[in-house]
Structure formats: C-alpha cells, structure tokens
Amino acid sequence: MGLNHEVVDVVPAPSFDRRRPRVAIHKFSSCDGCQLALLNLGEGLLDLARQFEFVHFAEFGVVDEDAEADIAIVEGSVSTPHEVERIRAIRARSRYLIALGACATSGGIQALRNLHDAPAWTRAIYAQPQHIETLDRASPLAAFARVDLELWGCPVNAWQLLAVLRDLLSGVAPTISHDKLCQECKRIGATCVMVAQGLPCMGPVTQTGCGVLCPKAGRDCYGCFGPAEHANGAALAAQFGQLGLSAADVARRFGSINSAAEAFAPHAQELRDV
Ligand code: SF4
Ligand code: SF4
Ligand code: SF4
C-alpha cells in the first residue's frame, strides 16, 4: 500500500517502443528546487540526456507542455483550478507518472493553507485578490490523478530519481525504500542527535532517502522526506514533549514541510491556532 491515497507502491515498468524514451518534466505550484536538483546532477544529467529524449523540460530549455511522454515527472502541488485540469491532461498523455518532491507528494509547504482560512489569507496579502485564482487547499498530485511512483524530499535526492529512470529504462519496476531514517542513521554509525544533544529529531518517523544529511552534520531532521512506513507520530510527539517542546512546537516539527501527509497531519493540527 502507498503512503498516499491512490498511489500504488510497485507499478510494473512499461515497455518502451523507442530507444530513447520521451521524458516530460512539468512544474506545478513549487519553488523549482527539485528541478534544480536534477540540473545539478552534472555528468548524471548528460547521461540522462543521452538515454532519454527530453520533450518538455523548461529549466533545460525544451518547451512543449502538450508533448506526449513515456515518463512524466511532475514537480509541485495542485493549488489552482487550472492545475487540476493540467494534471489530468498530463496523466492522459503519459505512460508512467512520477510525483517529484514534497510539494507533489504531500502538498508541500503551501499546504499549510489547508490548516487556515486560505481566502482570508489571500484577501490579507494581495492588494487585488480578485485576480488570484487559487484553490482553498494545496493537494498532492495523487488527489487528482493516478501516480505510479512518488519521490519524496524537499528537494528530492536527484540520484534517487536517476536510479528510478535507469530502472525504467531496463524494464525493472522501480521501488523506493520507506524505511525510517533512524535505520540508515544507525547503519552509517552517525551519533544520535536526539540522545546526545536532546534535539527533537524527526528521524524516527521520516522516510529514508536523503543519505542522513542533517544528523550527519549534527542537526536534527525536520522530516522533509515525509512519513516513513508505520510511522508512530504519537510516540514521537510524546517524546518531544519529554524533551520540553510545547504543543505548538511539536506541531511545528510535524507541520514544516509535509503538514498534509497523512501520518503527520494529526500532529500538525495545533498550527490551526498558531
Ligand atoms: S519539494 Fe521543496 S524543493 Fe521541491 S519544489 Fe517543492 S518546495 Fe521546492
Ligand atoms: S539522529 Fe535522528 S535519525 Fe539518527 S538515530 Fe537519532 S533520532 Fe534517528
Ligand atoms: S535529515 Fe531529514 S530534514 Fe534533513 S534532508 Fe534528510 S529527511 Fe530532510
């Protein structure tokens, strides 16, 4: 079972009838950071360009939003009525669809609006709110279209995406580990910042995939890779309380990037009143 509704964990790889399968990379409501992570691959990006044909990738200079694609990679959340139509159209002309990054998999940081009165915020922030066409909620792609694979992270680990694309090219169904970050942290022998420094680390409930970036640097994880399998948010929230965090601070830990992810959302509710 997937970590979000309508997502199936292991979808068989489609068989491509061209030597260089077509890849389209689309942007929805997002900061472009996940696409930049891909651009920063360097040699890896050149390899990709040799193995795949980019038919739409605006950051790469190739623009054809309506192109048919073997693989669509979509960054960003669905936050406007137009984006609802776009994700359905992209799904219809793509054989395999990858949700790229926290915005696309959980709604991202912009889903904080889901906890509040979004129209009231719009009226308070914009001088002419009548020109803003937005939905009251920011949603993951899977709320509106079938998603074949979700890559979490803010930003994603682009090497993880590279491995997925190579799997697809080889006809192998890509799989992503949903193990807890703590498991990888222990395997590489990093010092636990929760035990050693009393920091409120989200590792016990966060999905692996980033290479333990923050604990390796002596910082606590803030959960940007989203919930791990069987995440016990209630137990970690209680532990954060033991460390001295207030209820609002506990909610901020769960509500920073993936507040709308199913396993984090109940513990981010306190942000409604913040
Ligand atoms: S997941 Fe993070 S880095 Fe990626 S587009 Fe969204 S906000 Fe930017
Ligand atoms: S530092 Fe964080 S991720 Fe690592 S073992 Fe401790 S709680 Fe888990
Ligand atoms: S350690 Fe946590 S916050 Fe840091 S990059 Fe990894 S998942 Fe994100």
Side-chain angles (χ1 to χ4, degrees):
M1 210 174 81
L3 299 177
N4 252 323
H5 41 280
E6 289 194 40
V7 179
V8 180
D9 258 359
V10 183
V11 173
S15 58
F16 303 118
D17 48 13
R18 25 183 99 222
R19 196 177 58 82
R20 286 171 71 219
R22 299 160 301 179
V23 172
I25 302 187
H26 296 273
K27 171 184 164 62
F28 279 51
S29 293
S30 63
C31 79
D32 279 38
C34 289
Q35 290 185 72
L36 285 176
L38 186 54
L39 284 175
N40 282 339
L41 273 174
E43 281 288 313
L45 184 63
L46 294 179
D47 280 350
L48 267 191
R50 278 189 281 270
Q51 292 164 332
F52 296 89
E53 179 189 358
F54 289 122
V55 291
H56 176 65
F57 186 4
E59 295 266 8
F60 194 64
V62 184
V63 181
D64 182 2
E65 163 84 22
D66 298 327
E68 299 272 330
D70 297 298
I71 302 167
I73 301 171
V74 184
E75 173 200 80
S77 64
V78 179
S79 302
T80 68
H82 181 49
E83 286 175 340
V84 176
E85 292 169 20
R86 278 183 64 213
I87 189 58
R88 289 179 175 148
I90 288 167
R91 176 70 265 185
R93 57 175 185 265
S94 313
R95 297 186 63 193
Y96 193 93
L97 193 147
I98 299 172
L100 188 70
C103 297
T105 50
S106 78
I109 203 155
Q110 55 271 36
L112 284 169
R113 76 168 76 163
N114 303 2
L115 294 165
H116 293 273
D117 182 348
W121 277 12
T122 307
R123 286 193 300 275
I125 292 166
Y126 294 98
Q128 299 194 328
Q130 70 273 21
H131 299 303
I132 308 287
E133 279 190 21
T134 187
L135 298 169
D136 290 353
R137 299 178 63 80
S139 303
L141 306 181
F144 296 98
R146 184 170 52 79
V147 170
D148 297 313
L149 187 91
E150 288 186 328
L151 279 176
W152 293 70
C154 179
V156 286
N157 177 345
W159 294 102
Q160 217 176 15
L161 175 62
L162 202 59
V164 163
L165 291 174
R166 284 179 176 154
D167 279 352
L168 287 170
L169 195 61
S170 311
V172 173
T175 55
I176 295 295
S177 169
H178 302 306
D179 281 352
K180 296 172 179 70
L181 186 69
C182 285
Q183 291 171 259
E184 192 182 352
C185 193
K186 293 293 93 188
R187 277 197 294 270
I188 66 169
T191 302
C192 176
V193 298
M194 183 136 63
V195 172
Q197 301 180 50
L199 295 176
C201 184
M202 290 285 286
V205 295
T206 298
Q207 189 178 145
T208 186
C210 69
V212 199
L213 275 181
C214 300
K216 266 197 311 200
R219 296 190 309 251
D220 43 321
C221 167
Y222 52 90
C224 84
F225 266 64
E229 234 166 21
H230 312 303
N232 189 342
L236 188 61
Q239 169 65 12
F240 286 170
Q242 296 279 319
L243 292 175
L245 269 66
S246 67
D249 284 341
V250 171
R252 285 192 187 96
R253 298 304 291 164
F254 284 89
S256 64
I257 306 270
N258 291 295
S259 62
E262 285 172 20
F264 287 2
H267 311 290
Q269 291 302 307
E270 187 86 11
L271 292 177
R272 278 184 188 285
D273 309 318
V274 172

Short mmCIF file of all heavy atoms in Angstrom, two decimals, residues 179-190 192 194 201-208 212 215 228 236:
data_model
loop_
_atom_site.label_atom_id
_atom_site.label_comp_id
_atom_site.label_asym_id
_atom_site.label_seq_id
_atom_site.Cartn_x
_atom_site.Cartn_y
_atom_site.Cartn_z
N ASP A 179 11.76 2.86 4.59
CA ASP A 179 12.31 2.64 5.93
C ASP A 179 12.47 3.96 6.68
O ASP A 179 12.54 5.03 6.07
CB ASP A 179 13.72 2.02 5.83
CG ASP A 179 13.67 0.53 5.54
OD1 ASP A 179 12.57 -0.03 5.58
OD2 ASP A 179 14.74 -0.04 5.27
N LYS A 180 12.59 3.86 7.97
CA LYS A 180 12.79 5.07 8.77
C LYS A 180 14.24 5.56 8.66
O LYS A 180 15.17 4.74 8.56
CB LYS A 180 12.45 4.77 10.23
CG LYS A 180 10.98 4.41 10.41
CD LYS A 180 10.66 3.93 11.79
CE LYS A 180 9.18 3.61 11.92
NZ LYS A 180 8.78 2.42 11.14
N LEU A 181 14.38 6.87 8.72
CA LEU A 181 15.72 7.47 8.64
C LEU A 181 16.64 6.91 9.72
O LEU A 181 17.83 6.72 9.50
CB LEU A 181 15.59 9.00 8.77
CG LEU A 181 16.88 9.78 8.57
CD1 LEU A 181 17.34 9.73 7.13
CD2 LEU A 181 16.71 11.23 9.02
N CYS A 182 16.08 6.65 10.91
CA CYS A 182 16.90 6.13 12.02
C CYS A 182 17.65 4.86 11.60
O CYS A 182 18.79 4.65 12.03
CB CYS A 182 16.02 5.81 13.22
SG CYS A 182 15.45 7.25 14.13
N GLN A 183 16.98 4.02 10.80
CA GLN A 183 17.63 2.76 10.42
C GLN A 183 18.91 3.03 9.63
O GLN A 183 19.95 2.42 9.88
CB GLN A 183 16.65 1.89 9.62
CG GLN A 183 15.51 1.37 10.48
CD GLN A 183 14.43 0.71 9.65
OE1 GLN A 183 13.39 1.29 9.36
NE2 GLN A 183 14.68 -0.53 9.25
N GLU A 184 18.83 3.98 8.70
CA GLU A 184 20.01 4.31 7.90
C GLU A 184 21.04 5.04 8.77
O GLU A 184 22.25 4.83 8.64
CB GLU A 184 19.60 5.19 6.71
CG GLU A 184 20.69 5.35 5.68
CD GLU A 184 20.30 6.26 4.53
OE1 GLU A 184 19.12 6.66 4.45
OE2 GLU A 184 21.19 6.60 3.74
N CYS A 185 20.54 5.88 9.66
CA CYS A 185 21.42 6.64 10.56
C CYS A 185 22.27 5.68 11.41
O CYS A 185 23.47 5.87 11.58
CB CYS A 185 20.55 7.52 11.45
SG CYS A 185 21.41 8.80 12.37
N LYS A 186 21.61 4.62 11.90
CA LYS A 186 22.33 3.62 12.71
C LYS A 186 23.31 2.85 11.85
O LYS A 186 24.43 2.55 12.27
CB LYS A 186 21.33 2.66 13.36
CG LYS A 186 20.42 3.27 14.42
CD LYS A 186 21.15 3.71 15.67
CE LYS A 186 21.55 5.17 15.58
NZ LYS A 186 22.41 5.63 16.65
N ARG A 187 22.87 2.52 10.62
CA ARG A 187 23.75 1.73 9.75
C ARG A 187 25.05 2.46 9.45
O ARG A 187 26.10 1.84 9.36
CB ARG A 187 23.02 1.38 8.44
CG ARG A 187 22.12 0.16 8.54
CD ARG A 187 21.75 -0.37 7.15
NE ARG A 187 20.93 0.54 6.40
CZ ARG A 187 19.59 0.56 6.44
NH1 ARG A 187 18.96 -0.31 7.16
NH2 ARG A 187 18.91 1.42 5.73
N ILE A 188 24.98 3.80 9.26
CA ILE A 188 26.21 4.52 8.90
C ILE A 188 26.99 4.96 10.14
O ILE A 188 28.05 5.55 10.03
CB ILE A 188 25.93 5.74 8.00
CG1 ILE A 188 25.13 6.81 8.76
CG2 ILE A 188 25.21 5.33 6.72
CD1 ILE A 188 25.05 8.13 8.02
N GLY A 189 26.42 4.69 11.32
CA GLY A 189 27.17 4.97 12.56
C GLY A 189 27.17 6.42 12.98
O GLY A 189 28.07 6.85 13.71
N ALA A 190 26.17 7.20 12.52
CA ALA A 190 26.10 8.61 12.95
C ALA A 190 25.71 8.68 14.42
O ALA A 190 24.97 7.83 14.92
CB ALA A 190 25.09 9.37 12.09
N CYS A 192 23.55 9.83 17.43
CA CYS A 192 22.14 10.24 17.50
C CYS A 192 22.05 11.61 18.18
O CYS A 192 22.40 11.76 19.34
CB CYS A 192 21.34 9.21 18.28
SG CYS A 192 19.62 9.72 18.49
N MET A 194 19.37 13.15 18.98
CA MET A 194 18.32 13.20 19.99
C MET A 194 18.88 12.70 21.33
O MET A 194 18.67 13.31 22.37
CB MET A 194 17.11 12.34 19.58
CG MET A 194 15.96 12.41 20.55
SD MET A 194 14.36 12.57 19.78
CE MET A 194 14.18 11.07 18.85
N CYS A 201 14.62 15.35 16.89
CA CYS A 201 14.86 14.81 15.54
C CYS A 201 13.63 14.05 15.04
O CYS A 201 13.06 13.24 15.77
CB CYS A 201 16.08 13.88 15.59
SG CYS A 201 16.55 13.25 13.97
N MET A 202 13.25 14.30 13.78
CA MET A 202 12.09 13.63 13.18
C MET A 202 12.47 12.29 12.55
O MET A 202 11.62 11.62 11.94
CB MET A 202 11.49 14.55 12.10
CG MET A 202 10.79 15.79 12.64
SD MET A 202 9.18 15.40 13.36
CE MET A 202 8.20 15.10 11.88
N GLY A 203 13.73 11.87 12.69
CA GLY A 203 14.19 10.63 12.08
C GLY A 203 13.35 9.40 12.36
O GLY A 203 13.13 8.58 11.47
N PRO A 204 12.80 9.23 13.58
CA PRO A 204 12.03 8.02 13.86
C PRO A 204 10.77 7.87 13.03
O PRO A 204 10.20 6.78 12.96
CB PRO A 204 11.70 8.16 15.36
CG PRO A 204 12.79 9.01 15.92
CD PRO A 204 13.11 9.99 14.82
N VAL A 205 10.28 8.97 12.43
CA VAL A 205 9.04 8.86 11.64
C VAL A 205 9.25 9.27 10.18
O VAL A 205 8.31 9.30 9.40
CB VAL A 205 7.91 9.74 12.24
CG1 VAL A 205 7.50 9.24 13.62
CG2 VAL A 205 8.30 11.22 12.30
N THR A 206 10.49 9.59 9.83
CA THR A 206 10.76 10.13 8.48
C THR A 206 11.36 9.06 7.57
O THR A 206 12.17 8.24 8.00
CB THR A 206 11.69 11.36 8.59
OG1 THR A 206 11.03 12.36 9.35
CG2 THR A 206 12.06 11.91 7.23
N GLN A 207 10.96 9.13 6.33
CA GLN A 207 11.40 8.17 5.31
C GLN A 207 12.88 8.41 4.95
O GLN A 207 13.31 9.55 4.82
CB GLN A 207 10.51 8.43 4.09
CG GLN A 207 10.61 7.45 2.99
CD GLN A 207 9.63 7.81 1.87
OE1 GLN A 207 9.94 7.60 0.73
NE2 GLN A 207 8.48 8.33 2.19
N THR A 208 13.58 7.35 4.76
CA THR A 208 14.97 7.44 4.34
C THR A 208 15.06 7.91 2.88
O THR A 208 14.05 7.98 2.19
CB THR A 208 15.63 6.05 4.50
OG1 THR A 208 17.01 6.17 4.21
CG2 THR A 208 15.03 5.03 3.55
N VAL A 212 20.84 10.71 5.21
CA VAL A 212 21.00 11.15 6.61
C VAL A 212 21.71 12.51 6.68
O VAL A 212 22.55 12.75 7.55
CB VAL A 212 21.76 10.10 7.47
CG1 VAL A 212 21.52 10.32 8.95
CG2 VAL A 212 21.32 8.68 7.12
N PRO A 215 21.41 14.68 10.46
CA PRO A 215 22.14 14.10 11.61
C PRO A 215 23.64 13.96 11.35
O PRO A 215 24.45 14.16 12.27
CB PRO A 215 21.46 12.74 11.81
CG PRO A 215 20.07 12.95 11.30
CD PRO A 215 20.24 13.86 10.11
N ALA A 228 7.72 7.87 7.10
CA ALA A 228 8.19 6.50 6.83
C ALA A 228 7.01 5.54 6.95
O ALA A 228 5.93 5.92 7.43
CB ALA A 228 9.26 6.13 7.85
N LEU A 236 6.38 9.77 18.94
CA LEU A 236 7.44 10.78 18.80
C LEU A 236 6.97 12.13 19.37
O LEU A 236 7.76 12.84 20.00
CB LEU A 236 7.86 10.93 17.33
CG LEU A 236 9.08 11.82 17.13
CD1 LEU A 236 10.32 11.25 17.84
CD2 LEU A 236 9.39 12.03 15.65
#
